[in-house]
PDB file of all heavy atoms in Angstrom:
ATOM      1  N   ASP A 187     -11.470 -17.072  11.473  1.00  0.00           N
ATOM      2  CA  ASP A 187     -10.250 -17.805  11.803  1.00  0.00           C
ATOM      3  C   ASP A 187     -10.245 -18.126  13.310  1.00  0.00           C
ATOM      4  O   ASP A 187     -10.519 -17.250  14.136  1.00  0.00           O
ATOM      5  CB  ASP A 187      -9.080 -16.896  11.427  1.00  0.00           C
ATOM      6  CG  ASP A 187      -7.742 -17.483  11.783  1.00  0.00           C
ATOM      7  OD1 ASP A 187      -7.285 -17.290  12.930  1.00  0.00           O
ATOM      8  OD2 ASP A 187      -7.160 -18.132  10.908  1.00  0.00           O
ATOM      9  N   SER A 188      -9.924 -19.360  13.651  1.00  0.00           N
ATOM     10  CA  SER A 188     -10.058 -19.793  15.049  1.00  0.00           C
ATOM     11  C   SER A 188      -9.123 -19.022  15.993  1.00  0.00           C
ATOM     12  O   SER A 188      -9.514 -18.664  17.106  1.00  0.00           O
ATOM     13  CB  SER A 188      -9.806 -21.296  15.155  1.00  0.00           C
ATOM     14  OG  SER A 188      -8.558 -21.612  14.586  1.00  0.00           O
ATOM     15  N   HIS A 189      -7.899 -18.753  15.526  1.00  0.00           N
ATOM     16  CA  HIS A 189      -6.947 -18.014  16.372  1.00  0.00           C
ATOM     17  C   HIS A 189      -7.439 -16.587  16.625  1.00  0.00           C
ATOM     18  O   HIS A 189      -7.429 -16.085  17.752  1.00  0.00           O
ATOM     19  CB  HIS A 189      -5.571 -17.995  15.700  1.00  0.00           C
ATOM     20  CG  HIS A 189      -4.587 -17.095  16.373  1.00  0.00           C
ATOM     21  ND1 HIS A 189      -3.940 -17.445  17.542  1.00  0.00           N
ATOM     22  CD2 HIS A 189      -4.153 -15.837  16.077  1.00  0.00           C
ATOM     23  CE1 HIS A 189      -3.153 -16.465  17.917  1.00  0.00           C
ATOM     24  NE2 HIS A 189      -3.253 -15.467  17.053  1.00  0.00           N
ATOM     25  N   ARG A 190      -7.930 -15.965  15.564  1.00  0.00           N
ATOM     26  CA  ARG A 190      -8.413 -14.584  15.686  1.00  0.00           C
ATOM     27  C   ARG A 190      -9.658 -14.508  16.563  1.00  0.00           C
ATOM     28  O   ARG A 190      -9.825 -13.586  17.350  1.00  0.00           O
ATOM     29  CB  ARG A 190      -8.707 -14.008  14.305  1.00  0.00           C
ATOM     30  CG  ARG A 190      -7.431 -13.700  13.553  1.00  0.00           C
ATOM     31  CD  ARG A 190      -7.721 -13.401  12.112  1.00  0.00           C
ATOM     32  NE  ARG A 190      -6.620 -12.669  11.507  1.00  0.00           N
ATOM     33  CZ  ARG A 190      -6.442 -12.553  10.200  1.00  0.00           C
ATOM     34  NH1 ARG A 190      -7.290 -13.114   9.370  1.00  0.00           N
ATOM     35  NH2 ARG A 190      -5.434 -11.861   9.731  1.00  0.00           N
ATOM     36  N   LYS A 191     -10.507 -15.506  16.423  1.00  0.00           N
ATOM     37  CA  LYS A 191     -11.727 -15.567  17.239  1.00  0.00           C
ATOM     38  C   LYS A 191     -11.351 -15.667  18.721  1.00  0.00           C
ATOM     39  O   LYS A 191     -11.877 -14.926  19.560  1.00  0.00           O
ATOM     40  CB  LYS A 191     -12.559 -16.783  16.808  1.00  0.00           C
ATOM     41  CG  LYS A 191     -13.829 -16.990  17.621  1.00  0.00           C
ATOM     42  CD  LYS A 191     -14.591 -18.214  17.113  1.00  0.00           C
ATOM     43  CE  LYS A 191     -15.801 -18.507  17.981  1.00  0.00           C
ATOM     44  NZ  LYS A 191     -16.547 -19.680  17.493  1.00  0.00           N
ATOM     45  N   HIS A 192     -10.423 -16.550  18.998  1.00  0.00           N
ATOM     46  CA  HIS A 192      -9.965 -16.763  20.371  1.00  0.00           C
ATOM     47  C   HIS A 192      -9.407 -15.453  20.961  1.00  0.00           C
ATOM     48  O   HIS A 192      -9.730 -15.072  22.090  1.00  0.00           O
ATOM     49  CB  HIS A 192      -8.892 -17.860  20.358  1.00  0.00           C
ATOM     50  CG  HIS A 192      -8.228 -18.088  21.681  1.00  0.00           C
ATOM     51  ND1 HIS A 192      -8.878 -18.710  22.729  1.00  0.00           N
ATOM     52  CD2 HIS A 192      -6.986 -17.772  22.134  1.00  0.00           C
ATOM     53  CE1 HIS A 192      -8.057 -18.772  23.757  1.00  0.00           C
ATOM     54  NE2 HIS A 192      -6.900 -18.203  23.437  1.00  0.00           N
ATOM     55  N   CYS A 193      -8.571 -14.757  20.173  1.00  0.00           N
ATOM     56  CA  CYS A 193      -7.970 -13.500  20.652  1.00  0.00           C
ATOM     57  C   CYS A 193      -9.033 -12.426  20.889  1.00  0.00           C
ATOM     58  O   CYS A 193      -8.979 -11.695  21.878  1.00  0.00           O
ATOM     59  CB  CYS A 193      -6.929 -12.990  19.665  1.00  0.00           C
ATOM     60  SG  CYS A 193      -5.440 -13.992  19.642  1.00  0.00           S
ATOM     61  N   LEU A 194     -10.016 -12.339  19.969  1.00  0.00           N
ATOM     62  CA  LEU A 194     -11.064 -11.314  20.108  1.00  0.00           C
ATOM     63  C   LEU A 194     -11.937 -11.582  21.334  1.00  0.00           C
ATOM     64  O   LEU A 194     -12.212 -10.680  22.118  1.00  0.00           O
ATOM     65  CB  LEU A 194     -11.972 -11.312  18.871  1.00  0.00           C
ATOM     66  CG  LEU A 194     -11.725 -10.315  17.753  1.00  0.00           C
ATOM     67  CD1 LEU A 194     -12.877 -10.375  16.765  1.00  0.00           C
ATOM     68  CD2 LEU A 194     -11.559  -8.898  18.267  1.00  0.00           C
ATOM     69  N   ILE A 195     -12.356 -12.823  21.485  1.00  0.00           N
ATOM     70  CA  ILE A 195     -13.263 -13.167  22.591  1.00  0.00           C
ATOM     71  C   ILE A 195     -12.585 -12.917  23.935  1.00  0.00           C
ATOM     72  O   ILE A 195     -13.214 -12.479  24.894  1.00  0.00           O
ATOM     73  CB  ILE A 195     -13.760 -14.630  22.461  1.00  0.00           C
ATOM     74  CG1 ILE A 195     -14.738 -14.733  21.292  1.00  0.00           C
ATOM     75  CG2 ILE A 195     -14.424 -15.112  23.754  1.00  0.00           C
ATOM     76  CD1 ILE A 195     -15.215 -16.144  20.991  1.00  0.00           C
ATOM     77  N   ASN A 196     -11.280 -13.161  23.981  1.00  0.00           N
ATOM     78  CA  ASN A 196     -10.561 -13.011  25.244  1.00  0.00           C
ATOM     79  C   ASN A 196      -9.788 -11.697  25.370  1.00  0.00           C
ATOM     80  O   ASN A 196      -9.120 -11.464  26.376  1.00  0.00           O
ATOM     81  CB  ASN A 196      -9.619 -14.196  25.431  1.00  0.00           C
ATOM     82  CG  ASN A 196     -10.388 -15.492  25.545  1.00  0.00           C
ATOM     83  OD1 ASN A 196     -11.073 -15.727  26.533  1.00  0.00           O
ATOM     84  ND2 ASN A 196     -10.327 -16.315  24.509  1.00  0.00           N
ATOM     85  N   GLY A 197      -9.870 -10.864  24.328  1.00  0.00           N
ATOM     86  CA  GLY A 197      -9.161  -9.578  24.355  1.00  0.00           C
ATOM     87  C   GLY A 197      -7.654  -9.752  24.499  1.00  0.00           C
ATOM     88  O   GLY A 197      -6.992  -8.999  25.192  1.00  0.00           O
ATOM     89  N   LEU A 198      -7.087 -10.769  23.818  1.00  0.00           N
ATOM     90  CA  LEU A 198      -5.672 -11.101  24.015  1.00  0.00           C
ATOM     91  C   LEU A 198      -4.739 -10.236  23.171  1.00  0.00           C
ATOM     92  O   LEU A 198      -5.035  -9.872  22.042  1.00  0.00           O
ATOM     93  CB  LEU A 198      -5.425 -12.565  23.672  1.00  0.00           C
ATOM     94  CG  LEU A 198      -6.131 -13.596  24.556  1.00  0.00           C
ATOM     95  CD1 LEU A 198      -5.827 -14.998  24.055  1.00  0.00           C
ATOM     96  CD2 LEU A 198      -5.704 -13.440  26.018  1.00  0.00           C
ATOM     97  N   ASP A 199      -3.573  -9.981  23.736  1.00  0.00           N
ATOM     98  CA  ASP A 199      -2.510  -9.215  23.097  1.00  0.00           C
ATOM     99  C   ASP A 199      -1.599 -10.204  22.361  1.00  0.00           C
ATOM    100  O   ASP A 199      -0.981 -11.079  22.967  1.00  0.00           O
ATOM    101  CB  ASP A 199      -1.774  -8.471  24.225  1.00  0.00           C
ATOM    102  CG  ASP A 199      -0.396  -7.970  23.826  1.00  0.00           C
ATOM    103  OD1 ASP A 199      -0.149  -7.809  22.627  1.00  0.00           O
ATOM    104  OD2 ASP A 199       0.419  -7.743  24.741  1.00  0.00           O
TER     105      ASP A 199
END
Side-chain angles (χ1 to χ4, degrees):
Chain A
D187 177 273
S188 54
H189 171 77
R190 287 169 160 163
K191 178 180 175 180
H192 174 73
C193 289
L194 263 189
I195 289 175
N196 297 291
L198 296 178
D199 162 22

